[in-house]
Structures are given as structure tokens and as C-alpha cells.
Amino acid sequence: MSAPLKTDSKPFLDTGLALFGGLTHRVADMSEKTVAFGRKELDLALYEMPGLAALREEYGDSKPLAGARIMGSLHMTIQTGVLIETLVALGAEVRWVSCNIFSTQDHAAAAVVAGPNGTAAAPSGVPVYAWKGETLAEYWWCTLQALEWPGHGHCNLILDDGGDATLLVHLGAELEEQGVMPEVSMGDSEEARIVFAILKHVREEKGDDYWRPMAKAIRGVSEETTTGVHRLYERLEKGTLRFPAINVNDSVTKSKFDNLYGCRHSLVDAIMRATDVLLSGKRALVLGYGDVGKGSVQSLQGQAAKVSITEIDPICALQASMMGIDVVVLEDVVEKMDVFVTATGNFNIITADHMKRMKHNAIVCNIGHFDNEIDMAGLEAMRATGEVEKIEIKPQVHEWRFTRTTHGPNGGGHSILILAEGRLVNLGCATGHPSLVMSASFTNQTLAQMELHAKAESYGISVTTLPKHLDEKVARLHLGKFDAKLTELSDKQAAYIGVPVAGPYKADHYRY
């Protein structure tokens, strides 16, 4: 990691890190070997990310992102490294954090800091504040570092995944306007208390006009995922959104590719890396049958697992039924399942009481969002009273042994295996989605940042998806990788179905 600089700023909570210490980066390992490993993987990934490669070729000379100061909060993986260096190639200045305490690939972070033309000893790349296995306090410290902008004061665009950076700016500005600072103890979770602590710390060191100028300087945000989009629409409805937002998650070439095809690849990859358990013939329950759930079901079916799903939505439930998948209620099957996968984007999906009833050595993991789909707080409360014991098998793989149940071996307590501490299993226990899938997502992100940088003001305070012609452009940029050749409409054919010859070919309401 980088060496701390001398500063008058106080350390934040138990991190030992000053909030305003001016560190140029902070990663786990800046050794030559780690940087070289990361750079090689970045080069290999770029070949598998034709959308980003095409954008570099098309816009590398014109630099449409010149003047953009992009704060990124998105999993610091090799694929994200290709995104970051694409934004830089298009003219942007960039600072970055991971949006998950377990998802950083440390060699990716090191290589991005070093940059394509720098070295471990003389880095010339992008400031990155991320390492695998951060504490929550360190995670929020990292977020603030990337929002700070030496020489300018503030970023002017955010590229967010889950909405944490957007949340911190909005909450900070709101509290300044209200002239109040809630007590840290008022937070209803450990993470909420840490957020209040960082806002209080900033107020003490920077006064009561730190967040409002930052919010005013930000021209827009592009949001990667379902939960972050939900937060944006909530703010829009309440009239509290402060800048335009582009909903990248609901672009077809993001939601289908990342959520469906990406999860189809990476779920079983993560479970098998974590546990080495044979999935064939096991009973698996996927909770939620949206795009993430659909991909997760296909992933498990590919290993010949016996898969059921839970759903609240009758349309999704009917889709599952039409695919021959049983639609069940968790409470009816909790004792029977070998593997549980949450994929809802909601909270308290699997509770501590559910886990008390599970069979011995059931595997429990989440591929939805955050760590609250699985009731980790409830387990921690039981741990405090001695009802359950937490045993680390290896990083991000834990046995939770119940001490008072009687359906374990020899009539004693049973255990369950929880992966990635309830956070995204495919990033905590594996390497996330493959490069080609992320190329589609990140081409959307790059186009969204270009759109906001060019004309954010024309959007007003809104949450919008990218226009259909750009969604089709993302797909078009990837077809060559599959040697796919599109049929071309004649003028008469195009007129007959009422579309332009060059597209877009579907109405905005069309469901792919």
C-alpha cells in the first residue's frame, strides 16, 4: 500500500488513515510482479472487450471526454481496469474505488495505478483506492478519497455501481442545508453508523459547506445496477435528486448481458472455487427470477442441479413455470435444499431463522446486491449470544456452526457454509463476469459518460436510459467477435415495418 503522508487530518475511526491525507493512491501491493501480472491480464482482457476497443479507435483522437473528471465507484477488477483506461484514452481524468469490500482484484488495482506507460516505482496511471478485504470504515474512507479532486476540488461526473458515491454526496449536502448532524448512534446498521461518522468527521474538519459545492459541480451520474437505479428513482420521485442520471442497468445490452449471461457464467464458477462441492444432483433454490435469477438458474442447470425458484412477480413466476422450473415458497423447502442463492435486490430474503432450519452444510450465497439479502446482522446477533459460531475455512468462505440445533451430525448442532459473507459471491469468491460480457456493460457506461459530459444540462433533473440507437450500437460493436453478419433491410422492407434502414429496429417498449 502507499505510505501515509504527514497531515494534520485525524485518522478516520480505526482505519489509521487520515480522511484528508492527500494519498495519491492506496492499494494492497505495488510490487513489480503484481503490476506486471495486472498489465498482462489487462492486455488479454482488452482483446475480449471489442466494444471498448472500438470506442478507443473511434474516439481516441477527438477526446470527447476532455475536461471530464470522473469519480468511479465500481468493482476494481481487470475488466474495470480496461474501462478506466478507455475513459482516460477518451480524454477524461479519473479517480476510482471499488463498490464492494471483497471484489477488488489487487493486481488490477496495482496495474491501473502504474498505468500503461508507468512502473511500480514510478506510477503514471489513475489514482485507485481499493484492496480486497477492506473493512467498512476503509471502504467509506476510499469513497471520500476518490470524490476529492486535487487541483479542482471536485469531480464533475460520477460512474456509480449501487449508488454509494451518489448517496454520500446527496446525504452530505442535505445535512448541510438542514444545519444538522445526526448522532452516529442513530444509524440503523453498522454501515449507516459509519456513513454518519464520516459525515461528522468531514463537518469537523471542513465546516458546513463541503458537500453542497461538490453536489453543484457534479453534472451527472451513470448508474450500473438495479439497487442504485432504484435509489435514483426514489430520489426523483421525492424531488431530492440533484443532478441528471443515466440508468445504464436497464439498457438491453447491459441487463441481458451482465445480469443474465454474466451470472450464467460466474455463479457456479464462484461456488465451485469456494467449496469444491459437486453441484450435479443437488437441490438448489434461486430466490428471484429476474435477469440475475434467470442467469443463475441456467448456471446451476448447466451442472445438472435440481433447481427451484421463489418469486413475488406472477409474470416471472409464469416464465419459470414455462421453463419447467418449480416455483416454491422458501418456508416450505428450507430444510430440503442443498444450495441457496439470493438474486432479488431486496433485503431480509434469507433470515437467521431460515438458516437455523437448513440442512447440515447447506451452501448459502448472494448474487443480488449488498450483504442484506442474507440476514448477516441476525447471525452476528446470534453469535454474540453464543447460539452460533463463525469459523473461517478460507478467505470469504465461512462455516457458521449452530450450537443449539439438533439436526446436525449425531443429533448435534448443524452448520451452513456462507460465501463472501453474504456479498456478491461471483466477485468475492471468483473473478466476476467474463471480459466479453463486461465489454457490453462498460461500453454502455462509456457512452453514458460521453452523453452526460456533452449535454448533461439538456437532461434536466431526470433518470433516463440510453437511447435505443446507442443500445443497438453497443450490440453492433460486439458482433464481429462472433463472426456474425447482419441482414440489411431494403428501403421497401424498412418502410413496410416502419423503421429506418439503419435502425433503431424496435420500439422503446419492446421486450427482448
Side-chain angles (χ1 to χ4, degrees):
M1 292 188 178
S2 56
L5 302 182
K6 291 183 178 180
T7 175
D8 294 330
S9 181
K10 297 184 300 182
F12 176 59
L13 297 181
D14 59 355
T15 65
L17 299 164
L19 273 187
F20 300 99
L23 294 181
T24 57
H25 62 272
R26 188 162 179 89
V27 299
D29 178 11
M30 278 298 293
S31 67
E32 289 184 17
K33 182 177 180 180
T34 298
V35 169
F37 176 32
R39 181 52 52 189
K40 174 54 68 178
E41 288 225 319
L42 284 168
D43 291 342
L44 292 172
L46 180 59
Y47 181 73
E48 280 287 295
M49 302 184 83
L52 294 184
L55 292 182
R56 292 186 189 192
E57 183 175 352
E58 182 175 355
Y59 297 109
D61 292 336
S62 62
K63 307 293 183 192
L65 288 175
R69 299 187 297 276
I70 301 171
M71 182 278 185
S73 174
L74 191 151
H75 309 285
M76 185 59 252
T77 64
I78 287 293
Q79 292 72 31
T80 301
V82 178
L83 166 63
I84 292 168
E85 293 187 348
T86 300
L87 297 172
V88 172
L90 272 55
E93 297 177 47
V94 180
R95 292 168 71 85
W96 211 267
V97 296
S98 181
C99 62
N100 183 298
I101 63 175
F102 293 132
S103 65
T104 296
Q105 295 170 8
D106 290 323
H107 63 308
V112 169
V113 169
N117 301 311
T119 65
S124 63
V126 165
V128 174
Y129 305 87
W131 57 94
K132 192 176 185 72
E134 300 161 2
T135 66
L136 283 173
E138 288 168 340
Y139 167 79
W140 286 100
W141 176 90
C142 289
T143 301
L144 184 67
Q145 306 315 298
L147 284 167
E148 283 275 294
W149 214 277
H152 295 285
H154 309 295
C155 60
N156 55 24
L157 292 170
I158 293 177
L159 194 160
D160 217 347
D161 184 341
D164 281 352
T166 304
L167 177 146
L168 194 61
V169 172
H170 276 78
L171 187 56
E174 288 164 359
L175 292 174
E176 285 179 350
E177 287 177 348
Q178 295 164 12
V180 299
M181 177 52 61
E183 290 299 322
V184 171
S185 60
M186 291 173 59
D188 59 3
S189 67
E190 179 189 2
E191 190 157 19
R193 290 188 285 274
I194 290 170
V195 170
F196 285 160
I198 205 167
L199 293 171
K200 184 176 182 180
H201 192 136
V202 169
R203 181 78 63 90
E204 290 170 350
E205 293 208 20
K206 296 292 186 178
D208 60 2
D209 197 31
Y210 176 84
W211 296 104
R212 283 174 289 179
M214 181 184 293
K216 187 175 181 179
I218 295 169
R219 301 177 63 230
V221 59
S222 58
E223 172 55 52
E224 176 79 1
T225 199
T226 307
T227 303
V229 167
H230 177 67
R231 286 176 168 182
L232 290 169
Y233 281 118
E234 277 189 334
R235 285 199 168 274
L236 183 65
E237 290 170 7
K238 294 177 181 177
T240 61
L241 187 63
R242 291 175 178 262
F243 36 75
I246 290 182
N247 168 6
V248 168
N249 180 71
D250 290 319
S251 295
V252 178
T253 46
K254 193 281 180 186
S255 61
K256 296 296 181 187
F257 284 73
D258 187 330
N259 298 348
L260 179 56
Y261 309 133
C263 293
R264 185 173 69 188
H265 171 97
S266 63
L267 174 60
V268 295
D269 180 27
I271 294 173
M272 291 190 290
R273 289 194 201 208
T275 67
D276 254 348
V277 166
L278 181 72
L279 293 170
S280 301
K282 294 288 197 306
R283 295 187 182 278
L285 182 66
V286 175
L287 297 103
Y289 195 65
D291 284 330
V292 171
K294 289 178 174 70
S296 298
V297 165
Q298 291 178 19
S299 187
L300 292 161
Q301 287 176 328
Q303 292 298 310
K306 301 172 182 176
V307 186
S308 304
I309 66 112
T310 68
E311 249 305 334
I312 61 167
D313 185 329
I315 296 175
C316 291
L318 183 59
Q319 286 180 311
S321 298
M322 296 296 284
M323 296 301 294
I325 301 164
D326 287 335
V327 181
V328 300
V329 176
L330 173 59
E331 286 72 15
D332 293 343
V333 299
V334 67
E335 291 95 348
K336 302 174 184 177
M337 295 294 166
D338 302 293
V339 179
F340 297 83
V341 181
T342 54
T344 70
N346 210 321
F347 79 112
N348 276 358
I349 303 304
I350 294 178
T351 67
D353 284 339
H354 290 136
M355 290 182 271
K356 286 173 66 174
R357 295 168 53 189
M358 290 177 181
K359 65 163 59 175
H360 182 60
N361 280 2
I363 296 167
V364 182
C365 62
N366 167 46
I367 199 168
H369 201 63
F370 293 136
D371 61 343
N372 57 3
E373 296 213 24
I374 300 166
D375 182 17
M376 300 306 296
L379 280 183
E380 290 291 351
M382 292 175 63
R383 183 184 177 198
T385 63
E387 293 180 73
V388 68
E389 180 184 3
K390 181 182 181 183
I391 303 162
E392 182 173 272
I393 299 172
K394 60 184 178 180
Q396 283 80 64
V397 181
H398 291 86
E399 175 187 359
W400 288 77
R401 181 181 297 162
F402 291 82
T403 60
R404 302 177 190 176
T405 56
T406 57
H407 58 279
N410 302 315
H414 76 293
S415 296
I416 61 172
L417 302 179
I418 298 184
L419 310 185
E421 300 198 25
R423 294 177 181 269
L424 290 175
V425 67
N426 57 332
L427 283 154
C429 296
T431 58
H433 298 335
S435 297
L436 193 59
V437 163
M438 296 314 300
S439 180
S441 293
F442 290 166
T443 302
N444 274 288
Q445 278 284 11
T446 304
L447 291 172
Q449 289 289 312
M450 290 166 57
E451 186 80 1
L452 287 169
H453 186 53
K455 50 183 179 181
E457 289 72 19
S458 68
Y459 281 87
I461 301 300
S462 63
V463 181
T464 57
T465 54
L466 282 173
K468 182 70 69 176
H469 74 277
L470 291 180
D471 216 347
E472 289 185 359
K473 177 174 182 172
V474 172
R476 197 181 297 272
L477 291 175
H478 291 83
L479 290 176
K481 194 71 176 177
F482 301 97
D483 197 26
K485 295 179 174 61
L486 288 172
T487 300
E488 294 185 10
L489 289 173
S490 68
D491 290 339
K492 289 184 177 180
Q493 287 174 320
Y496 184 75
I497 60 173
V499 301
V501 170
Y505 300 105
K506 300 289 191 293
D508 288 339
H509 60 265
Y510 181 81
R511 298 181 183 277
Y512 290 82

